[in-house]
Amino acid sequence: CIIFDFLHSFMFQKLYITTLFLSMNISFAQMSGDGVIKKMSENPIPDDIKMNFKMTLFSNSKKNKTKKHYRLMEYVEKRYQDGEFKSKLLLRFIEPKEVRGLSLLNWSRVDQKNDDQWLYIPKLRKVRRIRPSDKSRKFQGTEFIYADFINRDLKLDQYTLLGEDIFKGNPCFLVEVKSIDVSGFGDRIFWIDKKYYLLRKVQYLNDKKKNIKILEVFDYVKNNQYWTPTKKIMKNLRNGNSTELQVIDIVYDQGVKDEFFSEKYLRRF
């Protein structure tokens, strides 16, 4: 009977959809904000990284024309398995000539809320220490701030799973991130993909819970066991400006020495 076949098919589809919906709900209920962050942190990371990338600054003028400024930069980071340090980082401008040699040095210590940061200004031949109160300031005219280069301890934030959404075709967990210290980090929402637990997007919120900045990570590549974001854009929703980072080349586990991350080395460029 055609009617019986139709009803049987309809009931089967309804049962399938209901079962699928319930299984999705169960899966979602079993996951937590802390669980998602833990899975993300379990992705393998190298002992050290050396990378060159292009930074492009997009700024909107009063005449509604977008201006572009380019920077070529070097990034070196070393991570530690034990001892007093979690990581050390050196970020250096290579081109253009007017900013060549300008460098940021960051030391991240175990169980400390604030990293140590120094800025080397080649024109003055001086190294200036970045105070904790200055880490919310823009980094050299970009839409990133000094705090964006800090290797923040996961224990200093609390995590709440808000739901799920899709970013550029990638199903993601949405995790609200709230600071539990007085470091000045505002509330954020992490978009973490469900397949590989990679960070795809970050929403930065003000005190009224409105988006003020958005970081989008468009591309990842996997080299051996390591995932590398090759293109990311920080967008300022208040002024329309943005900063794009595009990786040119990268190498891992080269045995970077500690002397690379010193005030003395900053002055050698």
Side-chain angles (χ1 to χ4, degrees):
C1 176
I2 296 176
I3 296 177
F4 178 79
D5 289 342
F6 171 79
L7 288 175
H8 181 270
S9 174
F10 174 77
M11 291 300 293
F12 177 79
Q13 291 180 31
K14 185 176 180 181
L15 177 62
Y16 172 78
I17 293 171
T18 302
T19 304
L20 178 63
F21 179 76
L22 287 173
S23 66
M24 289 173 63
N25 279 349
I26 292 171
S27 175
F28 180 81
Q30 289 175 342
M31 187 60 75
S32 67
D34 289 317
V36 174
I37 296 297
K38 183 176 183 297
K39 291 282 288 184
M40 182 177 69
S41 68
E42 289 173 350
N43 278 320
I45 56 176
D47 291 332
D48 57 64
I49 302 171
K50 296 184 76 173
M51 172 173 62
N52 291 310
F53 64 89
K54 183 175 78 170
M55 174 186 283
T56 307
L57 285 65
F58 299 90
S59 59
N60 290 322
S61 67
K62 294 181 179 179
K63 296 181 180 180
N64 295 321
K65 293 183 179 180
T66 301
K67 295 182 179 180
K68 295 182 182 180
H69 302 278
Y70 298 96
R71 304 282 187 266
L72 181 62
M73 305 187 71
E74 178 187 31
Y75 176 102
V76 185
E77 183 178 7
K78 181 175 182 176
R79 299 185 175 99
Y80 298 83
Q81 302 300 323
D82 50 38
E84 66 172 308
F85 293 103
K86 288 186 296 183
S87 65
K88 292 182 180 179
L89 177 152
L90 177 66
L91 185 64
R92 174 169 278 164
F93 289 83
I94 306 300
E95 295 179 1
K97 185 177 180 180
E98 58 265 26
V99 294
R100 182 175 172 84
L102 187 73
S103 307
L104 177 70
L105 177 63
N106 190 93
W107 287 4
S108 179
R109 288 186 167 86
V110 175
D111 296 328
Q112 284 200 8
K113 296 179 181 179
N114 290 306
D115 286 14
D116 294 322
Q117 288 186 325
W118 297 268
L119 183 70
Y120 175 59
I121 307 171
K123 289 183 179 181
L124 303 177
R125 304 294 295 175
K126 288 186 177 181
V127 176
R128 180 170 67 88
R129 190 181 182 91
I130 306 298
R131 297 175 298 180
S133 59
D134 291 335
K135 292 178 182 179
S136 59
R137 295 174 57 186
K138 285 188 177 183
F139 174 66
Q140 299 301 308
T142 72
E143 296 310 316
F144 292 90
I145 61 175
Y146 285 93
D148 289 325
F149 301 101
I150 289 176
N151 186 6
R152 185 165 170 80
D153 197 318
L154 297 178
K155 295 182 292 185
L156 298 177
D157 295 316
Q158 62 181 16
Y159 308 97
T160 304
L161 184 59
L162 299 179
E164 301 178 11
D165 209 329
I166 296 177
F167 175 71
K168 305 296 182 183
N170 299 290
C172 296
F173 290 114
L174 272 60
V175 179
E176 182 183 47
V177 183
K178 285 179 171 289
S179 173
I180 58 176
D181 62 1
V182 291
S183 61
F185 277 82
D187 292 352
R188 291 146 288 156
I189 298 176
F190 286 0
W191 294 51
I192 300 169
D193 78 45
K194 299 175 64 176
K195 186 174 183 180
Y196 299 112
Y197 290 90
L198 301 172
L199 185 64
R200 296 286 182 175
K201 180 177 175 178
V202 181
Q203 296 171 245
Y204 297 84
L205 311 178
N206 62 12
D207 294 338
K208 297 181 180 179
K209 304 298 182 182
K210 292 185 177 180
N211 288 330
I212 54 174
K213 289 200 309 182
I214 294 177
L215 175 67
E216 296 180 330
V217 184
F218 288 93
D219 300 311
Y220 276 92
V221 295
K222 191 174 186 181
N223 297 317
N224 297 322
Q225 59 181 324
Y226 306 129
W227 288 99
T228 301
T230 57
K231 181 181 177 181
K232 58 178 70 173
I233 299 178
M234 181 72 84
K235 299 178 181 180
N236 189 322
L237 302 182
R238 292 173 293 189
N239 59 23
N241 296 342
S242 61
T243 301
E244 176 184 297
L245 304 182
Q246 183 82 45
V247 173
I248 298 173
D249 55 65
I250 185 169
V251 291
Y252 307 99
D253 298 331
Q254 300 297 300
V256 176
K257 297 181 179 179
D258 279 350
E259 63 187 32
F260 206 84
F261 307 96
S262 64
E263 183 176 326
K264 182 179 180 181
Y265 189 86
L266 287 178
R267 300 176 182 272
R268 294 166 97 186
F269 192 80

